[in-house]
Amino acid sequence: LIRLASPESIAKAAGLIRQGELVAFPTETVYGLGGDATNDRAVARIFAAKGRPSFNPLIVHLADREAALALGRADSRTHEIAARFWPGPVSLVMTRAAACSVSLLASAGLDTIALRVPANPVAQALLRQAGRPIAAPSANRSGELSPTRADHVASSLGDGVALILDGGPCAIGLESTVLDLSGAQPILLRPGGVSRESLEAVLGPIAVPEWSDHPERPRSPGQLRSHYAPRLPVRMAAENVGADEALLGFGRDLPAGAAAALNLSRKGDLLEAAANLFAMLRELDRPGLRAIAVVPIPERGLGVAINDRLRRAAAPRGN
Ligand code: AMP
Ligand code: MG
């Protein structure tokens, strides 16, 4: 499972990524659990391997600045920060570009995307050879510490990953700083490898929300950036559907009569359902309808994260 990083093992890893498999690889921050960011199923596999109980957006890695900045709407501040700190341990949140090829699941359905160009030479070589953006959260099961050595990854993820590239211990050993440049006011979403002071030297004052250090803490409902919800109300565990409702199905024998219907997975495959979730919610979120009715989805495996997202979308909203 673990292979020392070499031209051969990196070529093998790049091939696996292109086939939609997952590969763990070293960065200067921590080891990442990487999958093809443009492949919905590969991204769904990342959530499955980590056992995350909810979908949160992933950082998408690229080999160079130009390729990264093309995926988001980069303004002059973003170009400046990128020129100064990439490659390096800072991830930048931007509005997704109109032609962004990255899976909506990697953005957890949001209009924004977190991008980073890592400096680690093994990560660089892998990204170049894979020839596509790689979505990669830390390569550990949900709730465990971020791995800074290949054997940490093996003991946490086991065979949830096709290959682990061993590039030795991570130089920084601390996550990347996450800086949100999608709005007028820069926001430090997570402290990390690049200090707030060095970013402020370029940008001026950066806002630091009190939850930035505690990603596990629920964010206040006013913070729209925290999760995607359709405009239409969501009705869960639907056994029937109205003529003025959209239907989001799963499996066979769906209720008939909806104004519009899509199926997350006809064969009842939760990985396929996760891969389709955000794109289908968006497609069904049509003006003029009363609600999106969602049939019951099993509360196991990726179904836990799917139901978590739907429940948040179904919760009453403050505005
Ligand atoms: P991880 O991939 O586990 O290192 O965590 C990624 C971090 O980046 C989390 O704190 C996410 O909430 C944050 N993040 C990634 N993408 C976005 C985004 N589009 N908007 C806001 N935060 C993001
Ligand atoms: Mg992590």
Side-chain angles (χ1 to χ4, degrees):
L1 194 61
I2 300 183
R3 301 260 316 258
L4 271 183
S6 67
E8 295 72 35
S9 61
I10 292 171
K12 163 102 176 139
L16 288 166
I17 293 279
R18 281 195 299 269
Q19 289 160 29
E21 302 288 334
L22 303 186
V23 169
F25 63 99
T27 77
E28 65 274 29
T29 59
V30 301
Y31 273 76
L33 173 62
D36 178 353
T38 64
N39 177 336
D40 290 312
R41 288 183 70 100
V43 177
R45 281 209 178 93
I46 294 176
F47 287 102
K50 282 188 69 83
R52 273 190 181 169
S54 65
F55 294 123
N56 44 359
L58 305 177
I59 296 168
V60 175
H61 298 72
L62 290 111
D64 62 77
R65 240 176 254 142
E66 292 63 39
L69 293 174
L71 295 177
R73 281 195 223 147
D75 57 15
S76 58
R77 296 171 311 175
T78 314
H79 279 278
E80 228 175 302
I81 292 287
R84 243 341 220 282
F85 297 98
W86 279 352
V90 62
S91 303
L92 303 179
V93 175
M94 296 169 228
T95 302
R96 289 168 63 104
C100 184
S101 55
V102 169
S103 160
L104 263 182
L105 184 58
S107 287
L110 298 171
D111 290 323
T112 54
I113 183 167
L115 297 162
R116 176 174 163 224
V117 178
N120 178 291
V122 177
Q124 277 282 331
L126 176 65
L127 284 161
R128 280 186 202 288
Q129 286 195 37
R132 56 199 69 187
I134 295 182
S138 55
N140 52 280
R141 292 211 35 108
S142 180
E144 294 178 7
L145 283 180
S146 296
T148 56
R149 290 189 339 223
D151 61 301
H152 295 164
V153 180
S155 59
S156 183
L157 292 177
D159 55 12
V161 56
L163 177 68
I164 302 169
L165 282 176
D166 186 352
C170 298
I172 297 177
L174 185 76
E175 273 97 352
S176 65
T177 303
V178 180
L179 176 67
D180 184 351
L181 291 171
S182 66
Q185 165 71 62
I187 303 172
L188 191 78
L189 294 177
R190 181 174 76 186
V194 167
S195 74
R196 173 183 174 184
E197 290 72 23
S198 57
L199 295 168
E200 286 188 327
V202 179
L203 294 172
I206 296 174
V208 183
E210 56 80 24
W211 44 258
S212 71
D213 219 357
H214 305 274
E216 72 287 357
R217 211 179 272 174
R219 293 171 193 183
S220 82
Q223 270 147 357
L224 283 179
R225 74 183 66 244
S226 62
H227 61 82
Y228 165 76
R231 269 180 294 256
L232 287 179
V234 170
R235 189 163 71 78
M236 291 185 69
E239 307 282 352
N240 49 48
V241 65
D244 55 356
E245 288 184 311
L247 180 76
L248 188 59
F250 178 81
R252 294 177 207 279
D253 300 324
L254 302 181
L262 290 173
N263 199 331
L264 289 169
S265 173
R266 218 168 291 282
K267 52 181 196 242
D269 173 0
L270 288 164
L271 187 86
E272 184 179 25
N276 284 330
L277 178 66
F278 291 110
M280 288 190 172
L281 276 175
R282 280 182 185 242
E283 200 173 326
L284 292 177
D285 194 15
R286 299 180 194 169
L289 298 183
R290 185 162 56 84
I292 301 175
V294 187
V295 305
I297 293 170
E299 192 75 22
R300 64 177 151 77
L302 278 171
V304 175
I306 294 172
N307 283 318
D308 169 78
R309 184 50 69 224
L310 291 169
R311 265 192 295 274
R312 287 171 199 258
R317 279 161 238 180
N319 45 0

